[in-house]
Amino acid sequence: MRKKIVAGNWKMNKNFQEGIDIANELVKDFNPSDSNKKLVVCPPFIHLSALAELFDKSEIGLGAQNCHTSGKGAFTGEISSEMLKSVHTQYCLVGHSERRAFFFEDNEELYQKCKQLLVKEIQPIFCCGELLEDRKEGEHFDVIEDQLEVLWKLSKTDFEKVVIAYEPVWAIGTGETATAEQAQEIHAFIRSQVAEKMGETIAENTSILYGGSCKASNAAELFSKPDVDGGLIGGAALKAEDFLGIYNAL
Ligand code: PGA
């Protein structure tokens, strides 16, 4: 059975102590309802090591927001997958729309990042999603298809570790959520693409998360759709109570 996941992306928010405070609240109040339903926190790099310790005895998973395409070397300011592994990071976002837009990450770079993570047995949470103009032009399926190309270059064994997140860019941080039907339509399309390239069994086992203004009040409806296996949460992951409210909708 594929995993249900609610992952929180803190982005560039929270100083060290503020991050510790949220993590402590999560540890205190988190009641894993089922071993198949995962809660994952993706804080900025500076928090990873401390949160790994705080989460050690809880069921909360730890993710990073980025890693470099190379294993090590003269890349000032960058972080490698080996460094992430050394502080017990289990997941890492790849290809978030903000990284595509502000740091010009392209398919080749995203493929290299996935490879680096998979060598260290860190699960990529691969993000895809169309811009508002793509949707207006009716090109959303084509855009997603092109973004997914990165994943078809992976071996089946590697691909099985990947979590996919569909995040329409027009819904990120805007308060405008995709309707549950719009999310389901794209999630079903993504799963059909996985089935075509990797086979039915792998497609059935792939977790596909929805992201974009997901909150406790709309999560249950989104998660009720058959191909929506959880959420990637930005703003609403910055308060433990809100974030756990979304988890409880799984
Ligand atoms: P949001 O962000 O929940 O604040 O819309 C989602 C994301 O960017 O992952």
Side-chain angles (χ1 to χ4, degrees):
M1 203 174 35
R2 58 184 179 254
K3 273 207 163 52
K4 305 258 182 195
I5 302 170
V6 165
N9 172 13
W10 290 4
K11 308 191 181 184
M12 197 175 73
N13 292 297
K14 303 299 170 190
N15 67 28
F16 186 70
Q17 190 52 48
E18 289 165 346
I20 298 287
D21 292 346
I22 301 179
N24 272 323
E25 266 190 79
L26 290 173
V27 170
K28 178 167 68 63
D29 295 335
F30 177 53
N31 265 321
S33 52
D34 171 334
S35 63
N36 204 45
K37 296 181 180 175
K38 285 248 20 134
L39 187 76
V40 176
V41 175
C42 304
F45 292 132
I46 61 149
H47 296 96
L48 286 171
S49 161
L51 264 55
E53 241 174 78
L54 288 176
F55 293 164
D56 185 38
K57 298 225 159 35
S58 81
E59 297 290 316
I60 305 174
L62 186 64
Q65 297 175 17
N66 185 29
C67 82
H68 194 251
T69 50
S70 298
K72 64 172 170 174
F75 298 101
T76 302
E78 291 295 322
I79 299 281
S80 71
S81 61
E82 187 187 355
M83 293 169 181
L84 297 179
K85 189 70 184 179
S86 72
V87 290
H88 311 287
T89 305
Q90 300 146 322
Y91 300 86
C92 183
L93 304 181
V94 175
H96 188 280
S97 62
E98 287 149 19
R99 298 218 51 96
R100 292 175 190 265
F102 306 141
F103 303 95
F104 312 108
E105 294 187 344
D106 62 16
N107 278 5
E108 180 53 30
E109 190 172 350
L110 300 180
Y111 170 69
Q112 296 301 340
K113 289 187 181 205
C114 287
K115 288 298 290 176
Q116 287 294 335
L117 291 166
L118 289 160
V119 167
K120 295 295 166 196
E121 294 178 334
I122 296 172
Q123 288 188 253
I125 302 179
F126 182 83
C127 307
C128 58
E130 81 283 0
L131 304 172
L132 184 58
E133 48 267 39
D134 300 326
R135 188 162 273 268
K136 281 191 174 152
E137 303 276 308
E139 283 172 0
H140 39 303
F141 291 104
D142 295 339
V143 170
I144 304 291
E145 205 172 334
D146 177 61
Q147 292 173 339
L148 291 175
E149 287 290 326
V150 170
L151 301 177
W152 314 144
K153 292 201 275 172
L154 299 173
S155 68
K156 287 189 179 178
T157 321
D158 273 351
F159 180 85
E160 284 178 304
K161 318 255 167 35
V162 174
V163 173
I164 298 176
Y166 167 60
E167 300 201 299
V169 179
W170 46 272
I172 295 179
T174 59
E176 185 171 347
T177 324
T179 64
E181 288 68 31
Q182 284 172 322
Q184 168 59 25
E185 184 183 36
I186 299 280
H187 284 228
F189 173 70
I190 293 172
R191 200 178 305 286
S192 73
Q193 292 279 300
V194 178
E196 202 177 287
K197 308 287 182 183
M198 296 283 163
E200 284 289 343
T201 311
I202 292 181
E204 270 312 302
N205 290 328
T206 302
S207 303
I208 308 176
L209 317 183
Y210 168 80
S213 299
C214 183
K215 38 191 183 282
S217 58
N218 59 24
E221 197 189 345
L222 286 158
F223 299 167
S224 71
K225 295 295 174 191
D227 289 297
V228 180
D229 305 313
L232 178 55
I233 318 302
L238 295 172
K239 266 177 126 186
E241 193 188 344
D242 295 348
F243 189 44
L244 292 175
I246 297 173
Y247 175 83
N248 292 332
L250 267 183

